[in-house]
Amino acid sequence: MAKAGVGVSAQPGISIRRRAVALLALFAIFALFLCGRLGYLQFVRGAELRERALSVRIREIPVEARRGIIYDRMGRELAISVNVDSVFAVPSEVKDPEQTARKLADILGLDYDWVLGRLKQDECFVWIKRKIPDEVSQALKALDLPGIGFTQESKRVYPKGTVAAHVLGFAGIDSQGLAGVEYSYDKELRGARGSIVIEYDAVGHQIPQATHRYIPPTDGRSLVLTIDEVIQSMVERELDVIMASSQPKHAAILVMDPRNGEILALGCRPTFDPNRFADYPESAWRNFIVSDTYHPGSTFKPITAAAALEEGVVSWSDRFYCPGSVVVEDRRIHCHRASGHGSLNLSGVIEFSCNVGFVNIGLRLGTAGFYRYWRAFGLDGPTGVDLPGEATSLIMPESQCRTVDLAVMAFGQTLTVTPLELARAMCAIANGGRLVTPHVAKEWRSPDGRTVIPIEWPVGPQVISTPTSREVSRAMEAVVRTGTGKVTYMPGYRLAGKTGTSQKTVGGVVSSSAFVGSFCGFGPAEDPRVLVLVIVDEPQGAYYGSQVAAPPFGRLMRDIYRYLEIPLVYTEEDRPSATDREAGSTAEITVPSVVGQTVGEALAKLSTAGLRVEISGEATGVVAAQVPGPEAKVAPGTLVLLEVTPGGPSSGLVTVPDLRGRTMAEAALMLEEVGLYLAVEGSGVAVGQSPAAGTSVQEGTVVTVRFEPPPR
């Protein structure tokens, strides 16, 4: 009985121990689970959770870098950045979202519901409106709205408005380049964004003496362009005159240095103001020089002539007979002169732009030769220009080219090129035969301006020999002296050029009513420093290149020569008139002012003075500009070019500034600021002007300024 009692009393102890062991095992398993979970959170998800914790209590306010300045080649500012306020909200700190949204919407001109939605977002930081005017910022700051903050950002400003708009392009709200060099060089100009890091508590209040860190932005580098603002303003002036007088669909002017491919000026119409680019149609942003192709017409003929001379299939002594048309295969091809040119040598074919002569030259060159030089002149691909959106030429495949196609392409029809491609090819003719790379970027500067890094541009291969280049240049000089471009002739300037008039293709059919008038030339012919291409697309009324494009070319070259102080070189043909002028011959007469007068009044006054007249633009209307300008001293019989616009002058009046004692560049910039244009006479500093200082004139009036060398 005693043994049985002992056994019975042992049972409860065993049961308790078992329960204790089971409980300990459960605790051990739970502890292992906790350790595993902690280890997982610490070592596997630790980085992620730390980031999430930081995002709750640490708020990062972006600080935008200042975009680099864009200068012209002389250091004048074309694009700058200024500090402006941007408005943001911290939704957790906004005490009365409805009332705050109402006040923000009223002052900022925003939709109330949109603002309210932003204030109720489950975010630690939201933008309300960026880059607001200073007066709006001050009004909003005065309200001291809880949860509403301000940070400074950089806003892009173009102080010269529309000047060089198609070169500069524009930048967007995030200071990102969207067009032009702003887009091409966005990475270097933009720099790197910084930030302000602030720590907040659980209820969204800033913690004093907690994490406050400022990460400074890295400002972008500044870019110096090859553009010259003074030459660019001359181009803008001529484009405005072209648009007023010819009313074309498009117009474009390109000025280059043929020696190295630097683009000195580039302008297009229609244009836009990059400060307000969104207010203009996207078509106005388009850079016609780079992004569009056209039929070059007769401006292509020097390229055909150079290729044929280089191949040895023609010589300067060869003669070509033009009866007015020629039959190739089943097609009759007409010359622009219906009665024909008769017998011409090669120089005469170029000088008088004979289509029949170039048909024969093209056929002698042959299909293989034509396409070989098409590629050699770089017309089969991009030019390498540092502007976005470059188009490329269009020509039928060589294998499909028929004899009649070759005949027509020889004088610049059916094929298409971009204006920049044509100018590049013409640079090779001008500079001795080398292909250059067109470009607008000259050098980089560090934000502090202390470091200058030149930008190197490749020089292409030798396309034609130097003798061929010189010979074709001389023939193009004859075009200006006595040929189709004689309206641009000025003694001593030694200009070489070629007119062009091409029919457009509309709906796949060659149009009989839509034309492109153009002129491409350079000077001085023996050592070119400037090449100018003028294109007028679908002018109304007169459409020949000699009528609509050559006069602007002549005016530009005259002013550019004086601005760059290019010395005049007189040939034997020029010397008699030059000697008379330099000697102060009594035969000189003073050109009267006819700007603002009707065509009839202007013709009567100029004819009475013994001057010849050529009208560009409307046959009736009011004279908008004249070349030579008022008070110029010229020989009897000098040709005066009149730009005529229909109706009367525009309503906007501006006051002519006093330009006496100013340099040519200073005068051009002063006139540009008030919407006037400069016509140059002489060189040095300004000693006289017409209209006089203080006169009220129509905006867009040309002010003729007489310059003389300063006293030594």
Side-chain angles (χ1 to χ4, degrees):
M1 292 296 293
K3 289 181 180 179
V6 171
V8 171
S9 64
Q11 288 299 323
I14 295 172
S15 177
I16 291 171
R17 283 196 299 272
R18 286 176 179 173
R19 290 193 188 99
V21 170
L23 187 60
L24 287 172
L26 287 174
F27 275 120
I29 293 171
F30 183 69
L32 287 173
F33 173 77
L34 285 178
C35 290
R37 180 64 177 170
L38 288 172
Y40 170 76
L41 295 175
Q42 178 68 29
F43 300 109
V44 178
R45 296 190 60 196
E48 174 195 343
L49 294 173
R50 278 192 295 273
E51 287 296 322
R52 290 176 64 178
L54 282 173
S55 67
V56 171
R57 77 173 196 275
I58 300 295
R59 290 170 191 164
E60 188 175 290
I61 300 173
V63 178
E64 195 172 79
R66 183 183 289 271
R67 198 169 176 85
I69 299 171
I70 299 178
Y71 299 97
D72 86 333
R73 67 187 300 115
M74 303 303 292
R76 308 179 188 103
E77 294 177 343
L78 299 177
I80 60 176
S81 295
V82 297
N83 288 332
V84 293
D85 282 334
S86 291
V87 186
F88 66 89
V90 179
S92 62
E93 293 187 11
V94 177
K95 296 180 179 178
D96 187 345
E98 288 76 13
Q99 187 65 22
T100 302
R102 179 68 63 194
K103 292 178 179 178
L104 289 173
D106 290 344
I107 293 178
L108 297 175
L110 300 174
D111 178 70
Y112 167 77
D113 292 329
W114 182 86
V115 176
L116 183 60
R118 300 286 288 175
L119 297 181
K120 290 185 175 181
Q121 285 188 11
D122 186 18
E123 300 284 347
C124 62
F125 174 95
V126 293
W127 286 115
I128 300 299
K129 190 170 184 178
R130 301 174 62 188
K131 303 183 180 180
I132 61 176
D134 185 61
E135 60 273 14
V136 175
S137 174
Q138 295 303 320
L140 199 54
K141 286 178 179 178
L143 298 179
D144 193 22
L145 298 172
I148 303 301
F150 302 84
T151 186
Q152 280 201 335
E153 291 194 284
S154 179
K155 180 181 180 181
R156 204 58 161 168
V157 175
Y158 304 90
K160 305 303 167 60
T162 60
V163 173
H166 292 91
V167 174
L168 298 173
F170 47 84
I173 189 69
D174 289 311
S175 288
Q176 77 278 32
L178 298 176
V181 294
E182 294 276 29
Y183 177 83
S184 298
Y185 294 104
D186 181 56
K187 182 178 179 182
E188 296 85 353
L189 288 167
R190 187 191 291 200
R193 175 178 288 186
S195 62
I196 300 173
V197 179
I198 302 173
E199 188 171 2
Y200 289 81
D201 62 19
V203 294
H205 296 138
Q206 185 175 327
I207 302 175
Q209 324 237 325
T211 301
H212 289 77
R213 191 156 44 99
Y214 173 64
I215 302 173
T218 302
D219 291 342
R221 291 193 291 176
S222 294
L223 178 63
V224 179
L225 301 181
T226 60
I227 296 295
D228 189 304
E229 186 188 342
V230 173
I231 298 177
Q232 182 69 41
S233 68
M234 296 173 184
V235 166
E236 305 286 353
R237 173 196 73 196
E238 293 303 323
L239 285 169
D240 286 342
V241 171
I242 289 171
M243 295 302 289
S245 59
S246 298
Q247 300 177 348
K249 181 179 180 182
H250 299 100
I253 298 177
L254 173 67
V255 182
M256 291 180 65
D257 186 334
R259 300 170 297 180
N260 52 28
E262 289 185 347
I263 295 176
L264 304 178
L266 183 157
C268 303
R269 292 294 184 275
T271 188
F272 65 98
D273 185 344
N275 293 297
R276 301 180 293 105
F277 67 89
D279 295 342
Y280 295 80
E282 291 186 16
S283 58
W285 307 346
R286 193 172 182 85
N287 187 336
F288 180 82
I289 294 284
V290 174
S291 301
D292 285 282
T293 61
Y294 76 114
H295 299 299
S298 294
T299 54
F300 188 82
K301 290 175 179 177
I303 299 171
T304 302
L309 284 165
E310 195 71 8
E311 284 294 286
V313 297
V314 297
S315 69
W316 293 103
S317 60
D318 289 351
R319 301 201 69 83
F320 301 86
Y321 180 73
C322 170
S325 65
V326 63
V327 176
V328 179
E329 292 184 339
D330 59 345
R331 191 83 52 85
R332 179 171 293 277
I333 301 173
H334 295 274
C335 190
H336 66 88
R337 184 174 181 178
S339 61
H341 291 98
S343 180
L344 297 171
N345 60 18
L346 178 57
S347 181
V349 170
I350 298 173
E351 181 179 342
F352 297 106
S353 197
C354 177
N355 287 349
V356 173
F358 271 96
V359 167
N360 285 284
I361 293 170
L363 295 180
R364 290 191 192 185
L365 181 59
T367 301
F370 184 89
Y371 278 83
R372 184 163 58 254
Y373 281 91
W374 173 268
R375 293 186 289 270
F377 275 101
L379 298 171
D380 62 331
T383 65
V385 69
D386 50 341
L387 289 171
E390 184 179 11
T392 55
S393 60
L394 182 63
I395 189 173
M396 67 175 56
E398 184 176 350
S399 60
Q400 299 176 17
C401 181
R402 302 171 299 166
T403 302
V404 67
D405 298 322
L406 175 62
V408 175
M409 289 192 299
F411 57 87
Q413 282 291 162
T414 69
L415 55 84
T416 66
V417 296
T418 67
L420 189 62
E421 286 177 322
L422 180 78
R424 184 194 191 199
M426 202 66 79
C427 283
I429 291 176
N431 68 22
R434 292 177 296 103
L435 210 58
V436 296
T437 302
H439 59 277
V440 295
K442 187 175 181 66
E443 63 188 32
W444 288 107
R445 292 182 183 174
S446 59
D448 59 10
R450 296 178 182 175
T451 305
V452 176
I453 306 172
I455 300 174
E456 301 293 334
W457 292 95
V459 176
Q462 191 82 15
V463 178
I464 55 175
S465 66
T466 299
T468 297
S469 164
R470 296 288 174 256
E471 291 165 359
V472 176
S473 294
R474 282 195 289 271
M476 293 175 66
E477 192 176 359
V479 171
V480 171
R481 187 183 298 111
T482 57
T484 55
K486 61 186 176 183
V487 69
T488 67
Y489 173 71
M490 293 175 286
Y493 282 74
R494 297 294 306 277
L495 300 178
K498 188 70 192 73
T499 55
T501 306
S502 60
Q503 294 172 275
K504 295 185 68 174
T505 300
V506 180
V509 178
V510 176
S511 173
S512 60
S513 59
F515 299 89
V516 176
S518 58
F519 192 97
C520 187
F522 50 85
E526 73 285 355
D527 184 20
R529 291 180 56 186
V530 181
L531 179 141
V532 175
L533 172 62
V534 181
I535 298 176
V536 186
D537 180 22
E538 292 191 34
Q540 304 303 304
Y543 58 84
Y544 285 109
S546 59
Q547 296 172 303
V548 297
F553 169 86
R555 292 192 296 270
L556 272 174
M557 277 301 203
R558 179 203 61 196
D559 290 350
I560 291 172
Y561 265 51
R562 292 170 177 173
Y563 171 63
L564 297 179
E565 298 182 348
I566 299 175
L568 302 185
V569 178
Y570 295 98
T571 63
E572 289 302 319
E573 295 91 335
D574 301 331
R575 199 166 296 283
S577 60
T579 303
D580 289 343
R581 242 190 331 275
E582 290 167 355
S585 169
T586 55
E588 284 190 343
I589 58 177
T590 302
V591 178
S593 174
V594 295
V595 174
Q597 299 181 11
T598 65
V599 172
E601 293 169 340
L603 287 173
K605 181 179 282 190
L606 293 171
S607 299
T608 301
L611 300 168
R612 296 183 296 123
V613 180
E614 180 166 319
I615 296 173
S616 177
E618 300 292 324
T620 60
V622 173
V623 177
Q626 67 178 84
V627 179
E631 307 304 320
K633 304 294 184 182
V634 299
T638 296
L639 181 67
V640 179
L641 304 176
L642 302 181
E643 293 288 347
V644 179
T645 57
S650 59
S651 58
L653 290 176
V654 295
T655 302
V656 179
D658 187 352
L659 305 173
R660 289 173 298 178
R662 303 287 185 174
T663 65
M664 198 178 299
E666 291 171 341
L669 296 175
M670 288 177 66
L671 291 173
E672 178 189 321
E673 288 178 357
V674 296
L676 301 176
Y677 294 124
L678 171 68
V680 178
E681 291 182 359
S683 61
V685 297
V687 296
Q689 64 185 86
S690 178
T695 305
S696 294
V697 297
Q698 300 295 325
E699 188 173 346
T701 296
V702 176
V703 178
T704 303
V705 182
R706 189 172 74 258
F707 294 87
E708 291 182 359
R712 296 187 181 276

